[in-house]
Amino acid sequence: MQPWALISPTSRGIGLEVARRLLKTTEIPIVATARKDLDKTREQLLTGFDNVKEDRLHVLKLDVLDESSIAEAATTCSQLFPKKDNYLHLGFVLTGLLFPEKSPTKIDYNEALLTFQTNTLGPLMMLKHFDSFLPRKSTALASLQDLPNQAVWATMSARVGSISDNRLGGWYSYRASKAGVNQITKTFDNHLRIKSDDKAIAIALHPGTVKTGLSHEFWGNVQEDKLFSAEFSAEKLLDVIRSRRLEDRGKCWDWKGEEVPP
């Protein structure tokens, strides 16, 4: 069985750098997604790489706000990687949107709805359409250098999604949407326990504060040594994924490999 990886989205930020690092450090085929400008995304992904085989990187259109585009991307993946001969070894869903409501009066219905659609429902629809690509109990996993022993489905969460760690309040829709991600992760991992046993796990990830558009407004409030580049964050998150053991499944892990409490 041949493994492959899925990273969504990859047009910028952490997703772009995760895909680039996998291109650099592994040999597995990669499916990268973007909502638009696929040629530009492909160019960004391949900048600095001279010897990537043509059939190793596939850039597909996918918008987590549009289930039909998720379904179409999954159909394309089934053609690229027939399930009888291939399996999904790494799945990254790295969507994020933040409207920082500092008080209840600042909550806007449409912004809150978009937050949940992007941060929670989008990842939920992704696992709906890509679950079937993950290995089953009977799947013979490949031995892969610089990759985890089992398949991993990883979804972007955040420390502020932790209910027990919520001491400051605010950010109502973002906190709730990421708490939802953690619940979805646990529920999906329970499904994988039955379907895949020790062949696949689901985890959530907290990348820290990263220099992306999501956090731009707050850079000035973060200590310099706690404000990370997207390249650094991608490297650390891949380190976390590689070091996960079976007992780590269903939980949220930060960039240091420490558990974020529920």
Side-chain angles (χ1 to χ4, degrees), residues 46-64:
L46 292 175
T47 298
F49 297 116
D50 298 323
N51 300 313
V52 175
K53 296 179 181 179
E54 182 69 22
D55 62 350
R56 189 163 168 229
L57 175 64
H58 307 273
V59 182
L60 304 183
K61 183 177 181 180
L62 189 154
D63 182 351
V64 296

Side-chain angles (χ1 to χ4, degrees), residues 81-121:
F81 308 106
K83 295 171 187 175
K84 64 182 181 66
D85 299 314
N86 304 268
Y87 72 92
L88 180 60
H89 195 84
L90 288 179
F92 289 87
V93 183
L94 305 174
T95 56
L97 181 67
L98 168 62
F99 295 103
E101 313 104 336
K102 296 180 180 179
S103 72
T105 60
K106 299 298 184 182
I107 301 170
D108 178 88
Y109 181 89
N110 290 324
E111 290 178 347
L113 178 61
L114 182 59
T115 297
F116 277 93
Q117 289 174 320
T118 303
N119 295 350
T120 314
L121 292 177

Side-chain angles (χ1 to χ4, degrees), residues 137-206:
K137 291 179 181 179
S138 59
T139 303
L141 300 187
S143 179
L144 301 168
Q145 187 175 2
D146 293 324
L147 290 173
N149 293 327
Q150 66 280 321
V152 177
W153 181 268
T155 307
M156 187 66 79
S157 184
R159 186 174 298 279
V160 297
S162 168
I163 296 173
S164 61
D165 192 53
N166 185 354
R167 297 178 178 85
L168 297 176
W171 295 19
Y172 290 85
S173 59
Y174 186 73
R175 286 183 183 275
S177 70
K178 292 302 187 179
V181 165
N182 295 343
Q183 181 67 275
I184 289 170
T185 296
K186 177 61 177 177
T187 304
F188 186 46
D189 186 72
N190 286 339
H191 163 76
L192 291 177
R193 286 175 183 267
I194 298 171
K195 168 191 169 180
S196 308
D197 194 16
D198 60 352
K199 302 292 180 67
I201 67 172
I203 62 173
L205 297 171
H206 167 59

Side-chain angles (χ1 to χ4, degrees), residues 19-65:
R20 283 178 54 79
R21 188 153 191 87
L22 288 174
L23 283 170
K24 180 179 180 180
T25 62
T26 75
E27 297 296 329
I28 64 173
I30 294 170
V31 172
T33 80
R35 288 185 302 153
K36 58 183 180 179
D37 299 330
L38 301 190
D39 290 340
K40 179 181 177 182
T41 298
R42 184 178 184 86
E43 181 180 349
Q44 291 175 317
L45 288 165
L46 292 175
T47 298
F49 297 116
D50 298 323
N51 300 313
V52 175
K53 296 179 181 179
E54 182 69 22
D55 62 350
R56 189 163 168 229
L57 175 64
H58 307 273
V59 182
L60 304 183
K61 183 177 181 180
L62 189 154
D63 182 351
V64 296
L65 300 180

